[in-house]
Amino acid sequence: MVDLKRLRYFVAVAEEAHFGRAANRLGISQPPLSEHIQALEASLNAKLLFRTTRSVRLTVEGEALLKHARAILHDTDRCQEIVNAARQKNTESLTLGILHAHTYTFLPGLLRKYFSRHPAYRIHLVEYSTTEQIGRLLEGTIDIGLVREPIYHPSLRTQRLFSENYAVAVPATWDIARKKALPVRDLDGRTMIGYPSHDHRRSTQSLFRDFFHQHAVHPSDRFEVKTMHAALALVAAGRGYAPVPRSQMALRLNGVAYRPFREPSPELSVGLAWREDMASPPVAEFVQICRAYFSKTAPGATGS
């Protein structure tokens, strides 16, 4: 019978192509590692490695064994996962779609609230854009999604959770970054960096077109990148300013200063979406907890 520990040692040596590096990776000294490899070769009656003073190379037999050994070790590593899945077979679970920005704004506090009510429940978090979440909901891949509104689909139910105003991210080196709140006129003649939305009417370019027109603000240039995080990277590099939801001010980036507008600024709304014909008790409970949580908690909060 082949010893699993020796198989693991063999894979390490094969992948590192060096006994010294493999020994460091495994946390053992080199002499016993060599002895285990020799014992494995003896048990299989085959030479698995060509050894030199500087490197290790697999024989034909070693190449064949490596693929099989990796599969064996993968299956062995999954034993705990399989046992846990069997133990939790009757545990309520929920697959929740999220946007990347939720992870560092309101999501941690919301999940703490959820697990304080249901410590044994399991939530699987999957990150998709709002457009992608709509597709995953319709195909049944996710149970419920935290999305940006509006969503219009006859098969989906939605629940608004909160709305928030936009603030603005500006390079920390700009003189206007010293102000606590920015008059929108301070952005006149500067470059705006925008990003799209699943609803073209809710992209930052569209939302701010009317806002700027009201206050006679004329950007010197406008361009759009694919994500808010790409926009913030350009802001940090001093290339322009980017409107951001106020809750995003929790994301600290070197070179970026966040400031609220002095004037009432455009809003965006975040809500839940789910398929009504696939609603389950865990989905209904999650909706209820979210309603209660956001009736008491500001969207940018990360506490309980």
Side-chain angles (χ1 to χ4, degrees), residues 47-284:
K47 185 174 181 62
L48 303 175
L49 304 168
F50 292 118
R51 302 166 177 80
T52 69
T53 56
R54 294 187 177 181
S55 65
V56 171
R57 186 163 50 88
L58 292 171
T59 64
V60 173
E61 293 90 340
E63 290 279 5
L65 178 62
L66 178 60
K67 182 177 179 180
H68 188 55
R70 282 172 170 159
I72 291 171
L73 294 174
H74 173 73
D75 287 343
T76 302
D77 291 341
R78 289 195 65 237
C79 287
Q80 187 65 57
E81 178 185 341
I82 292 167
V83 170
N84 289 343
R87 182 185 300 124
Q88 295 162 350
K89 190 173 182 180
N90 296 321
T91 300
E92 296 284 10
S93 65
L94 192 71
T95 300
L96 172 65
I98 61 170
L99 302 179
H100 179 75
H102 297 162
T103 61
Y104 52 81
T105 53
F106 63 82
L107 187 61
L110 174 61
L111 292 180
R112 277 194 291 272
K113 186 67 173 180
Y114 180 82
F115 289 125
S116 71
R117 292 274 298 272
H118 302 290
Y121 281 19
R122 292 166 64 88
I123 287 189
H124 306 283
L125 301 178
V126 286
E127 186 182 317
Y128 295 116
S129 69
T130 293
T131 301
E132 291 170 331
Q133 285 194 50
I134 293 170
R136 298 299 186 273
L137 286 165
L138 294 173
E139 69 188 20
T141 306
I142 63 177
D143 298 309
I144 191 166
L146 283 161
V147 295
R148 286 187 178 163
E149 293 188 312
I151 288 180
Y152 306 107
H153 196 284
S155 297
L156 298 181
R157 278 197 64 185
T158 59
Q159 168 68 54
R160 178 168 293 181
L161 296 177
F162 65 84
S163 296
E164 61 178 327
N165 292 97
Y166 273 89
V168 63
V170 300
T173 54
W174 282 8
D175 56 341
I176 61 175
R178 293 194 293 269
K179 298 182 179 182
K180 290 185 177 180
L182 283 187
V184 65
R185 284 285 304 157
D186 282 359
L187 299 179
D188 189 48
R190 301 177 189 263
T191 298
M192 175 179 169
I193 305 165
Y195 43 92
S197 169
H198 67 288
D199 182 337
H200 67 88
R201 295 166 298 179
R202 309 300 293 176
S203 71
T204 51
Q205 302 282 19
S206 298
L207 285 173
F208 275 78
R209 186 176 294 115
D210 292 341
F211 181 53
F212 285 163
H213 179 73
Q214 292 170 21
H215 298 279
V217 171
H218 305 284
S220 62
D221 192 11
R222 298 176 189 249
F223 61 94
E224 191 169 88
V225 292
K226 289 187 176 181
T227 67
M228 183 189 70
H229 300 91
L232 290 175
L234 291 171
V235 172
R239 302 301 295 168
Y241 63 87
V244 295
R246 287 194 65 155
S247 61
Q248 306 302 306
M249 295 168 68
L251 177 62
R252 299 301 173 193
L253 288 175
N254 188 34
V256 175
Y258 300 102
R259 296 293 180 265
F261 286 106
R262 284 188 185 170
E263 301 83 1
S265 59
E267 291 186 346
L268 70 76
S269 298
V270 172
L272 294 169
W274 67 96
R275 265 180 65 172
E276 189 165 16
D277 63 337
M278 293 183 66
S280 62
V283 167

